[in-house]
Amino acid sequence: MRRLPPASGRAVAGLLAVVLACAIALLGAAPPAAAHGTLATSTPAEGTTVDRPLTAVELYFTEQVAGNAYFTVTAPGGGRVDNGWAHGAPKPLAQPVREYFLVDGKFEPREYATGFPAVVALAHLPAVGEYSVTYLSVASDGEAVRGTMKFRYAGPVTAAPQGWRPPTDQPDPSLVAAADEHADAGHDSGAQSRAALPPVASPASSASPAPAAAPTARTDDGGPGWVAWTGWLVAVAAAAAGVVGWRRRPMPTGRTTGRDPAGAVRRRGAGGRSGAANGRTAAPGTGGKGRSAAVPAARKRGVPVTARTAATTGRQEVSAGGHPVAVDVRPAADAGSSAPSGPDAGPPSPGPRLGDVRLALLVGGVVVALLAGFGLGRIGAGGGPGAAGTPTPPAATGGPVAGAAAMGAGHQHAAGTGAHSHPGDGGADQTQPAGTTVSAAGYTLEPVRRSQPAGAGVDYRFRIVGADRRAATRFTVVHDKPLHLIVVGRDLSGYQHLHPTMAADGTWSVPLRLARAGSYRVYADFSVTVAGGGPLPLVLGVDHHVPGAHAPAALPPPQPQASTGPFTVAMEGTPTVGVSVPLLFRVGRTGASGPVSLERYLGTYGHLVVVREGDLGYVHVHPEPELLDGAVKVWLTAPSAGRYRAFFDFQVDGTVHTASYTVDLS
């Protein structure tokens, strides 16, 4: 392998040292996970079962929630049973909670041993089963505090107070705006991350907010526990080993070929003759064949062989059975040079001690070791118990679907499936529905035609084109299909849920008939398979036009029930802005009693598509995997105030039906 010249070697070594130093500085400056104003505990506790009637639920946070915080309690049937909330008296926490704060450019840990409760009153307990408590607030540093806590009730049913009605209120718009603004902007990177929020009016049901108490304890160890220190020690040890290995010069073994670092060696033997034309050393008496015969011959006779190299002259002495053979190990000149090669050649030139590949591998290994050590440090700092044994705070965005972020994905799943969302249109703004753009994440929806006659059936054809201008042909099957095509009019009428087929060249096609003139939105909901085999979920939308006289249909008024064919479908629950809440859909036969046997459609018992009026933002919600007392349960997060049209697909006796609802959150 060709070696670098000495000057180049020193330059590369210096450059790599700078890279290593930057990597260490970058890793050391990476902040730990922070959670401000998080939920510490609750009464009843998360996931527990209560067998006695409750009059309130207490949620204990590490700081007092904002005066305009928002809470809901949803019964097993989907209706709300909360009856206002108020601040409670602080009390010591059984297990302190550690949070991190950015102070003067450095993350410092603080332990909180006091919980500040929000007491949410319960009007009644109408059924046995799972109750969901959702919350939305903003911490004193501006971070959104939202999530869902669930418990089961197994006690006697209690009646609602006389004249009480389930609440239908929505969160304070300023609260939603503040939470979304901070989510878009990210964490504050200034010298002080916890800034006071502007004062907000407190609801009538809550007490006047008091200033958040100072932390009960503050540690000076920087936050990491023993796992973190172990990680950093691993990183430091790896760096030290790399430096030692870098500076060490490889020593020759008992057998030598006489090859110097540049591939040329001169022998000083009898008569001063050189046998180094091919870079090998010939011992005296070997006829100058280019290889030292004394060493293998001595080994063959069982004679001990040793070797040493003079540090100053580069002369190597190989002792074979007491007969030394002197060899000069000196770098030769580059090919084509006129450097002397005889016995009178000058002293050896210093060269790089490691080859390019070996040096690169060494540096890469050190960086990997640093990353591994840093990962262990992060685990110790945020993923496990701290040095004082403090538990990791619950995520502020917990719950079935992580707050409004799930809505921005345009594709939500149920809590029972391990709640997750898809990155929708690939944008950074996770608070908006998907499908409002024709391109995202390097992919574009390209239809063959943009219009069709009213009432006529056409073959709607399109492609999903990547950044390389080639049609994508690898898609991941999601809910039994590689691609879902949704069509809806701009007046939120004419909903269709279709499943195209793809040709070998990546062209999709599906029969499409649109009865009324007007403008429509076509959504392609799919997961393209990217390099490495992983799915990239996307929702792309494009306009489609049907020429002719168009009279937009008025949006029907909100109703909790919808009729489709021989069925009546009741929607139970209250969609809420910025908060994930459960909705239940119960299917019954119109004018008849008794349950309806729902069949699985596309892998689940139903699908909910929600489209927002105006920009036609799109959300596709998947339900929990099993029915709840014969009903389909979904978790929905509305992204903003406004009006929506919700379309619920279900299947009975092999036929798919769609129930439509107007949701007014304006």
Side-chain angles (χ1 to χ4, degrees):
M1 179 178 64
R2 186 176 181 273
R3 305 282 177 160
L4 288 175
S8 300
R10 286 191 295 270
V12 171
L15 179 60
L16 292 176
V18 171
V19 171
L20 279 175
C22 293
I24 295 173
L26 179 62
L27 294 177
H36 303 154
T38 186
L39 177 66
T41 186
S42 62
T43 303
E46 164 77 23
T48 59
T49 299
V50 179
D51 56 8
R52 295 182 180 180
L54 296 173
T55 58
V57 174
E58 297 179 347
L59 305 177
Y60 290 87
F61 298 86
T62 56
E63 67 177 25
Q64 187 167 273
V65 297
N68 63 342
Y70 183 79
F71 300 90
T72 67
V73 181
T74 305
R80 287 177 59 177
V81 295
D82 52 283
N83 195 23
W85 72 276
H87 290 107
K91 78 168 188 178
L93 296 173
Q95 291 183 320
V97 173
R98 171 172 292 180
E99 297 181 358
Y100 289 86
F101 300 82
L102 186 63
V103 179
D104 296 330
K106 178 183 178 182
F107 275 90
E108 295 185 359
R110 298 179 187 177
E111 290 184 357
Y112 286 80
T114 302
F116 299 86
V119 182
V120 185
L122 300 179
H124 67 129
L125 300 169
V128 172
E130 184 179 79
Y131 286 73
S132 303
V133 184
T134 61
Y135 54 90
L136 174 64
S137 182
V138 176
S140 58
D141 66 343
E143 289 191 19
V145 179
R146 67 175 110 214
T148 301
M149 187 278 291
K150 294 182 287 186
F151 67 92
R152 295 191 64 83
Y153 179 64
V157 172
T158 60
Q162 183 70 26
W164 178 85
R165 292 184 179 181
T168 58
D169 62 308
Q170 295 290 319
D172 187 337
S174 64
L175 173 65
V176 177
D180 292 344
E181 179 180 2
H182 189 272
D184 294 340
H187 295 288
D188 181 13
S189 58
Q192 184 175 359
S193 66
R194 295 183 66 84
L197 289 175
V200 292
S202 300
S205 60
S206 64
S208 299
T216 58
R218 176 170 175 170
T219 60
D220 296 325
D221 59 0
W226 67 270
V227 179
W229 287 114
T230 301
W232 290 117
L233 287 175
V234 169
V236 173
V243 172
V244 171
W246 186 6
R247 296 181 60 86
R248 244 182 111 182
R249 181 173 182 173
M251 297 297 293
T253 60
R255 182 187 175 197
T256 180
T257 62
R259 187 180 298 274
D260 75 327
V265 177
R266 295 188 303 104
R267 176 185 62 83
R268 299 176 70 105
R273 297 175 60 187
S274 174
N278 61 355
R280 297 183 181 273
T281 300
T286 63
K289 295 182 179 180
R291 179 172 180 175
S292 177
V295 173
R299 285 201 177 117
K300 186 174 182 181
R301 297 194 304 269
V303 179
V305 178
T306 60
R308 66 184 182 88
T309 302
T312 57
T313 64
R315 177 183 297 271
Q316 186 177 33
E317 295 181 359
V318 181
S319 177
H323 302 282
V325 179
V327 180
D328 280 348
V329 183
R330 301 179 183 178
D334 290 342
S337 69
S338 58
S341 59
D344 299 328
S349 301
R353 291 172 177 147
L354 289 177
D356 303 347
V357 176
R358 293 180 62 188
L359 189 57
L361 291 176
L362 172 62
V363 173
V366 172
V367 171
V368 170
L370 287 171
L371 290 172
F374 174 71
L376 289 175
R378 290 284 299 221
I379 292 174
T390 57
T392 301
T397 58
V401 178
M407 191 70 171
H411 205 147
Q412 304 175 15
H413 285 257
T417 60
H420 63 284
S421 61
H422 299 273
D425 53 10
D429 186 359
Q430 292 273 311
T431 64
Q432 297 300 317
T436 57
T437 60
V438 70
S439 299
Y443 291 89
T444 302
L445 171 60
E446 290 190 351
V448 174
R449 59 191 306 166
R450 294 293 187 93
S451 65
Q452 67 183 75
V458 300
D459 190 23
Y460 186 80
R461 301 169 65 237
F462 62 94
R463 301 189 309 163
I464 306 297
V465 179
D468 57 0
R469 303 305 303 160
R470 295 181 179 179
T473 57
R474 299 179 61 201
F475 294 82
T476 302
V477 174
V478 178
H479 290 277
D480 294 347
K481 299 293 181 181
L483 188 145
H484 301 260
L485 196 74
I486 307 297
V487 181
V488 65
R490 281 215 161 262
D491 58 1
L492 302 184
S493 65
Y495 168 85
Q496 296 185 52
H497 186 165
L498 308 173
H499 298 105
T501 58
M502 187 186 72
D505 64 350
T507 300
W508 296 84
S509 62
V510 64
L512 176 62
R513 181 185 299 272
L514 298 172
R516 299 173 59 245
S519 295
Y520 293 81
R521 190 70 172 175
V522 178
Y523 305 94
D525 185 341
F526 60 93
S527 292
V528 65
T529 305
V530 296
L536 173 63
L538 293 170
V539 178
L540 305 178
V542 67
D543 288 333
H544 193 70
H545 185 63
V546 176
H550 173 57
L555 201 61
Q559 295 290 340
Q561 292 186 338
S563 297
T564 173
F567 304 103
T568 299
V569 186
M571 181 178 68
E572 302 173 0
T574 305
T576 306
V577 176
V579 178
S580 180
V581 296
L583 302 179
L584 274 73
F585 293 88
R586 298 186 184 274
V587 181
R589 295 188 182 274
T590 304
S593 60
V596 174
S597 180
L598 296 179
E599 300 169 349
R600 290 189 179 273
Y601 169 56
L602 301 176
T604 67
Y605 285 106
H607 293 262
L608 181 65
V609 170
V610 181
V611 181
R612 183 169 58 190
E613 185 183 42
D615 65 351
L616 301 185
Y618 164 98
V619 176
H620 188 175
V621 187
H622 294 148
E624 292 192 351
E626 301 298 333
L627 297 174
L628 179 64
D629 296 330
V632 179
K633 184 178 182 180
V634 303
W635 292 83
L636 175 67
T637 306
S640 67
R643 296 199 302 175
Y644 299 80
R645 192 68 170 163
F647 305 95
F648 176 67
D649 297 327
F650 64 96
Q651 180 172 298
V652 179
D653 297 331
T655 302
V656 178
H657 302 268
T658 301
S660 303
Y661 308 84
T662 297
V663 178
D664 191 350
L665 302 179
S666 58

